[in-house]
Amino acid sequence: RQMCIRDRRNSDIEWLYLRANGIEDEEVESICMAMKESTIKYLDLSLNRFGKNSIKFFVEMLKVNNVLLYLGLAGLNLTIAEIIPLLEEFGKIGITVEEYEEILAKRKERDAIIEKNKKSRRRKPEPVPIVPNIMQDDKKGCFILRHEEFKHLNLALNNLDDSAVEEIDKLLGRTPYKFMLTITENPISAEELAKLKAKYGSRLVI
């Protein structure tokens, strides 16, 4: 499966649909490694055999992949405690002064690579690193917006209960309006679902 993704990274294929393929943690690691260099925009790994131990692979992949628009992780029996690291990869994230300076340094390095690629005659340009844009809030200081183009995270058919409501609220509160979350068929009470739906409307699929 890893080779399959790598072969497609320069193609026109945008969807990789691997639902219910018996995929386990070891294979998820390989898939996520390949996705770091892929141009695939829609990845669905729902209803497979992996679980909480694979979340770290998705987190590592998202730290360098800024192309993905959809991630399907339905039917994996995941709890909110297990997926918090994944949720934290999306939306506004506050940064320290040190992080601010580090991002500026990375931006200079990125710009230098871009200029080098313009002048180079090599067929394959040097990969350009992803550097987040720095934004400023008068009240909260500086922050970055991670994966601002990402559109849809599917967490249906998992084990998210009422303890997940606070984290769902935080996620939708810090992500752009076009970000959608599916939590269909999770054991969240009707009362809590109604509150979330009233607040976020079409951004939340219940």
Side-chain angles (χ1 to χ4, degrees):
R1 293 188 180 95
Q2 184 180 15
M3 183 61 69
C4 170
I5 296 172
R6 285 179 172 169
D7 288 345
R8 284 167 169 73
R9 64 184 174 184
N10 293 317
S11 74
D12 295 328
I13 295 176
E14 297 185 347
W15 280 88
L16 186 59
Y17 188 85
L18 294 174
R19 279 193 169 203
N21 269 262
I23 295 171
E24 299 183 350
D25 293 313
E26 184 177 341
E27 293 172 295
V28 173
E29 182 177 14
S30 296
I31 290 170
C32 286
M33 286 181 63
M35 283 293 296
K36 290 179 180 180
E37 301 177 19
S38 174
T39 56
I40 290 170
K41 296 180 180 179
Y42 303 90
L43 175 64
D44 198 329
L45 295 173
S46 300
L47 302 169
N48 278 293
R49 294 178 181 172
F50 65 89
K52 62 181 181 180
N53 293 332
S54 286
I55 295 300
K56 60 180 178 289
F57 303 135
F58 292 105
V59 171
E60 292 168 2
M61 178 263 289
L62 286 168
K63 288 187 183 300
V64 295
N65 181 310
N66 207 33
V67 176
L68 197 64
L69 300 179
Y70 172 92
L71 179 59
L73 297 176
L76 300 171
N77 200 35
L78 298 168
T79 67
I80 187 61
E82 294 162 354
I83 63 170
I84 284 177
L86 175 66
L87 302 186
E88 289 177 343
E89 284 302 307
F90 299 101
K92 292 181 181 179
I93 307 292
I95 59 174
T96 63
V97 173
E98 291 77 14
E99 290 170 328
Y100 176 88
E101 293 175 349
E102 183 179 346
I103 291 172
L104 289 183
K106 288 181 178 179
R107 184 179 293 176
K108 290 181 180 179
E109 293 174 3
R110 178 203 61 190
D111 293 345
I113 292 173
I114 292 173
E115 289 302 315
K116 181 180 177 181
N117 285 342
K118 288 179 180 178
K119 299 174 182 178
S120 175
R121 295 181 179 179
R122 294 167 55 189
R123 287 186 178 181
K124 187 177 180 180
E126 183 178 344
V128 178
I130 298 168
V131 182
N133 292 321
I134 299 174
M135 303 180 183
Q136 192 162 1
D137 187 309
D138 292 337
K139 296 181 180 179
K140 298 182 180 180
C142 293
F143 64 90
I144 58 174
L145 184 58
R146 292 180 179 171
H147 301 285
E148 55 186 303
E149 298 301 321
F150 191 88
K151 293 181 178 180
H152 196 166
L153 178 61
N154 184 355
L155 296 174
L157 296 163
N158 276 292
N159 197 23
L160 307 182
D161 55 20
D162 284 3
S163 65
V165 171
E166 182 179 355
E167 292 300 330
I168 292 172
D169 189 26
K170 289 179 182 178
L171 173 66
L172 293 174
R174 68 173 179 262
T175 47
Y177 184 77
K178 60 188 172 184
F179 183 102
M180 292 180 61
L181 176 67
T182 294
I183 54 172
T184 310
E185 298 298 327
N186 275 280
I188 300 175
S189 67
E191 180 181 358
E192 294 295 345
L193 284 175
K195 291 177 183 178
L196 287 170
K197 189 65 174 176
K199 186 173 183 179
Y200 295 107
S202 61
R203 295 183 60 202
L204 183 67
V205 181
I206 61 172

